[in-house]
Amino acid sequence: MNKDDINSIKALLSSPKAIVIIPHKNPDGDAIGSTLGLYHYLKKHNHKATIIAPNDYPVFLKWMPGEASILKYDHQKKESDVLLKTADVIFTLDFNSLGRIGGMEDAVATSEGIKIMIDHHQQPDDYAKYMYSDATMSSTCEMVYNFIEMLNDVNKIDSDIASCLYVGIMTDTGSFRYQSTTSATHHIIGNLIEKGARNSEIHNNLYDTNSYERLQLLGRALSNLKVVPEYRTAYITLSQEELNTFKFKKGDTEGIVNYALSLKGIIFAAIFIENHQENIIKISLRSKGDFSVNELSRAHFSGGGHTNAAGGKSDLNLSDTIDKFISILPQYKQDLKA
Ligand code: 5GP
Ligand code: MN
């Protein structure tokens, strides 16, 4: 995003506009944090802003300021379609391809609203008039902070905006431990705490609100863990039946894949989660170092993401998906073999 773009956006936002802000499908902490942070900021400038999420998100995000105002496209389609059609501006946050917003894709693609992308995923599609795309960034929340700074408005950041942006930086950096965490990330985090983000409380809201069933599900997942030592790979499966046994709720499987990656000597980890409703196996992939799970997911599992964290899906059944996964490992032997 160059100076000219920033000046154009400043001019565009200099009078109240009808604005829609969109996170990706199955929104996570960074998607909801960044859309809400931007939402509160735009409201301060008297814009008529609405967040429309493609679908629902985990209960551990439902304490966030302004969260109750988020529309869910799959349940509020009519109202959402009107807002999308009449929007002057559409911000798309934390995704880089309209294929990531599920059923909203057409309504967004055909809207005449000026599209502004803020995102940190690799290889972005070219659908937005203004693109702030930077794959070196820890999170979209860090980028929303930078965006507000580029608009010379850091002094407008209040405790609500600060709390929302804190959430996404914290979740997308694995609580400030992944490689993408820079000194700039920590400076921003420091500023957000100064502006009223209650860091300890936020951490507690996200990570210390497990249900008993969720911990039991985690136990099952860990007992399903398999290791392929010659490829420094570990993976976990969860069948629909297992999810039902432990009364699965959205968000319950978040982060489980990281246990596989935490095994000593493992640099590539995956979790395969059966989803009968969508008739797919949802896949989360994680890696350490240079091995790109983004590339692997794009090549084999209709997905994408970042070098060290990506997602995808499979239309095969669970056991055939695992067979496919095992069978492609040799293609990556140069990266994976010790
Ligand atoms: P997670 O495994 O936590 O769902 O996602 C890891 C990363 O991959 C996130 O940045 C997420 O946005 C991205 N991602 C997850 N699923 C998909 C997918 O189906 N397609 C693409 N392109 N990216 C995905
Ligand atoms: Mn993100």
Side-chain angles (χ1 to χ4, degrees):
M1 181 149 283
N2 59 36
K3 262 243 126 13
D4 285 348
D5 286 348
I6 283 295
N7 287 334
S8 305
I9 292 172
K10 262 188 194 160
L12 177 67
L13 299 179
S14 64
S15 58
K17 292 284 182 303
I19 300 179
V20 172
I21 313 168
I22 306 171
H24 55 77
K25 189 178 169 191
N26 299 323
D28 57 6
D30 191 30
I32 295 298
S34 59
T35 51
L36 278 171
L38 183 65
Y39 165 83
H40 289 299
Y41 167 73
L42 293 171
K43 296 283 264 192
K44 286 198 149 185
H45 279 284
N46 299 317
H47 296 293
K48 185 183 166 292
T50 313
I51 300 172
I52 307 176
N55 62 349
D56 205 4
Y57 38 86
V59 67
F60 57 72
L61 298 175
K62 295 201 173 178
W63 58 273
M64 292 176 67
E67 172 278 317
S69 70
I70 298 177
L71 298 182
K72 282 101 190 171
Y73 191 80
D74 59 353
H75 281 95
Q76 288 148 301
K77 184 172 183 307
K78 246 192 177 154
E79 191 181 349
S80 302
D81 278 337
V82 173
L83 288 165
L84 286 167
K85 216 181 167 96
T86 54
D88 301 310
V89 179
I90 298 180
F91 279 93
T92 72
L93 264 53
D94 201 35
F95 63 92
N96 60 5
S97 153
L98 294 181
R100 293 279 291 128
I101 54 175
M104 290 179 76
E105 183 169 358
D106 282 348
V108 174
T110 55
S111 169
E112 283 170 18
I114 293 174
K115 295 181 187 91
I116 304 177
M117 175 202 289
I118 304 179
D119 177 60
H120 66 136
H121 292 89
Q122 292 166 341
Q123 297 150 280
D125 286 354
D126 187 20
Y127 63 80
K129 173 152 188 197
Y130 300 109
M131 276 170 78
Y132 176 27
S133 163
D134 184 348
T136 70
M137 284 285 156
S138 71
S139 54
T140 302
C141 280
E142 183 169 341
M143 299 176 77
V144 168
Y145 182 97
N146 292 341
F147 180 70
I148 294 173
E149 192 170 52
M150 289 187 263
L151 297 172
N152 296 320
D153 258 348
V154 166
N155 60 4
K156 283 245 165 23
I157 297 180
D158 59 14
S159 65
D160 282 351
I161 299 175
S163 298
C164 294
L165 297 183
Y166 189 99
V167 166
I169 300 177
M170 180 182 78
T171 55
D172 262 27
T173 59
S175 300
F176 320 111
R177 70 185 197 273
Y178 299 152
Q179 264 173 22
S180 59
T181 313
T182 63
S183 68
T185 314
H186 281 289
H187 280 296
I188 290 171
I189 281 295
N191 291 342
L192 294 177
I193 292 173
E194 261 172 32
K195 289 179 181 297
R198 289 200 287 271
N199 48 323
S200 181
E201 202 174 297
I202 292 173
H203 195 278
N204 189 62
N205 285 342
L206 268 100
Y207 296 117
D208 297 338
T209 51
N210 282 314
S211 66
Y212 180 79
E213 287 81 9
R214 200 248 162 188
L215 290 187
Q216 296 282 302
L217 178 69
L218 172 62
R220 175 62 64 89
L222 294 180
S223 65
N224 289 349
L225 174 67
K226 298 267 189 315
V227 183
V228 192
E230 63 270 39
Y231 291 107
R232 293 189 285 172
T233 295
Y235 65 93
I236 291 170
T237 56
L238 281 171
S239 68
Q240 182 71 61
E241 197 183 333
E242 289 171 314
L243 296 172
N244 296 346
T245 303
F246 299 106
K247 303 193 173 62
F248 166 79
K249 284 182 212 61
K250 213 174 235 309
D252 281 353
T253 55
E254 203 105 338
I256 293 182
V257 64
N258 294 317
Y259 286 94
L261 194 64
S262 74
L263 269 172
K264 191 173 178 186
I266 293 302
I267 63 163
F268 178 32
I271 186 166
F272 300 89
I273 302 167
E274 192 173 33
N275 182 331
H276 271 177
Q277 202 189 335
E278 293 189 36
N279 204 18
I280 58 166
I281 308 298
K282 182 65 194 157
I283 305 167
S284 284
L285 303 166
R286 298 292 186 270
S287 69
K288 286 192 167 150
D290 295 335
F291 180 56
S292 173
V293 287
N294 170 47
E295 296 298 338
L296 184 140
S297 188
R298 279 174 182 264
H300 301 284
F301 295 114
S302 321
H306 312 281
T307 302
N308 297 132
K313 66 185 175 76
S314 162
D315 296 323
L316 304 171
N317 67 30
L318 189 53
S319 88
D320 289 349
T321 301
I322 298 303
D323 289 347
K324 172 174 168 176
F325 178 70
I326 302 288
S327 77
I328 64 178
L329 292 178
Q331 292 178 35
Y332 298 94
K333 63 178 178 221
Q334 246 173 345
D335 291 310
L336 295 178
K337 281 211 163 185

